Amino acid sequence: MASRFALDTAVNPLGEGLYRAEIRPDWRVERPNGGYVAAILLRAVTTELGEPERSPRSVTIHYLRPPEDGPVEVAVTVERTGRSMSAVSARLSQGGEVLAIALVAAGARRDGFALHEASAPEVPAPEDCPLAPPPPFRIRIREQFEIRPAIGPAPFTGGSEAVAGGWLRLRDPEPTDAHVLVQAADAWVPAVFGITAERLGVPTVDLTVHLRQAVLPDDDGWMLLRFQTRVAADGYLEEDGEIWDRAGRLLAHSRQLAVIL
């Protein structure tokens, strides 16, 4: 059976690059989570391409307005296809208004030069990390994940650095493919929450995820996430992220710009 995540990000083809999807309420913070919206857009793109060997390598989403729960449409355009790479755009609309725009680069694997100097954070295994304590109010998207913090101060405790992370996996696991990774890139508590005692809102303006490696056959769904914010100015902040698997392989890099409310 399909996982909860697969069902809630499913797209139905309407023809000529148009897809219908449903924004589900269980992936909300105060509004639908940006990673969840990104996963729906990417699901439409990969369905339109229909070439599993052309994996998403770069995904960038610009968020214009948050959607409401309910039906949405995604219009996909294959801008160019070459021998090994495709450039694709997608627009998510609701009620005739465009709410999010995606650009995706998908490419086949290329053998040759390789470099692996990145090292995963040194943290205990997920089984040895305690579960995240429940938040003081309901955050529905948290109910879709098993969360085990291992990096950085707890939110709103006035810590010394804006770093956050730990182990994360879907409560209803599925293979950690590109759709899961773009969701995970925006699923953790913002790193900036660790250095402030003040409650902030930081909705995403844009999110870019670079997908690095294929998933191992013995993938158990656990991802090690690390996020850091270095600059907040003029009412905006950036957040850089890394997503690793249990074997210590870097699966994805992310960067997002958020507005501070």
Side-chain angles (χ1 to χ4, degrees):
M1 295 180 63
S3 72
R4 176 67 179 274
F5 177 74
L7 291 172
D8 286 354
T9 59
V11 295
N12 299 311
L14 303 176
E16 298 184 347
L18 192 63
Y19 294 83
R20 172 93 26 108
E22 187 87 9
I23 301 293
R24 306 288 185 179
D26 289 332
W27 301 86
R28 296 180 67 92
V29 184
E30 293 182 354
R31 60 189 75 193
N33 171 258
Y36 172 61
V37 173
I40 291 175
L41 280 156
L42 185 58
R43 189 83 70 181
V45 167
T46 55
T47 302
E48 182 69 14
L49 280 175
E51 299 182 65
E53 67 278 7
R54 293 199 181 208
S55 302
R57 304 293 174 172
S58 175
V59 180
T60 296
I61 316 292
H62 283 259
Y63 300 92
L64 311 185
R65 286 188 58 187
E68 301 293 335
D69 296 337
V72 293
E73 290 186 346
V74 181
V76 180
T77 301
V78 179
E79 304 288 351
R80 183 185 183 278
T81 292
R83 287 177 294 180
S84 62
M85 293 208 60
S86 297
V88 188
S89 64
R91 292 170 176 259
L92 184 143
S93 301
Q94 190 175 60
E97 183 177 8
V98 177
L99 304 182
I101 301 172
L103 291 175
V104 178
R109 177 175 176 171
R110 293 169 175 263
D111 294 324
F113 178 79
L115 178 66
H116 301 284
E117 292 192 346
S119 298
E122 295 185 6
V123 301
E127 297 82 5
D128 298 325
C129 296
L131 285 168
F137 50 88
R138 188 182 187 191
I139 303 175
R140 298 186 69 157
I141 189 173
R142 287 176 59 96
E143 299 167 10
Q144 308 309 318
F145 295 99
E146 185 174 352
I147 303 170
R148 295 179 178 265
I151 300 170
F156 306 116
T157 57
S160 60
E161 57 180 347
V163 176
W167 294 99
L168 179 87
R169 73 173 171 183
L170 291 162
R171 288 196 183 276
D172 184 11
E174 68 165 67
T176 310
D177 62 7
H179 311 95
V180 174
L181 289 169
V182 298
Q183 167 66 87
D186 195 41
W188 201 267
V189 175
V192 72
F193 286 3
I195 62 169
T196 177
E198 177 186 358
R199 300 279 172 170
L200 301 175
V202 286
T204 305
V205 176
D206 69 67
L207 170 68
T208 293
V209 184
H210 291 161
L211 292 309
R212 299 300 189 185
Q213 302 191 60
V215 178
L216 292 172
D218 60 351
D219 167 49
D220 64 359
W222 280 113
M223 297 168 281
L224 177 58
L225 281 54
R226 183 183 186 275
F227 297 97
Q228 183 171 16
T229 290
R230 295 179 177 87
V231 177
D234 294 335
Y236 300 87
L237 61 81
E238 47 73 26
E239 183 179 84
D240 292 318
E242 302 167 348
I243 304 177
W244 306 79
D245 67 7
R246 187 193 278 267
R249 303 187 322 145
L250 182 63
L251 299 178
H253 272 118
S254 68
R255 167 165 279 200
Q256 68 170 278
L257 177 71
V259 61
I260 304 171
L261 301 179

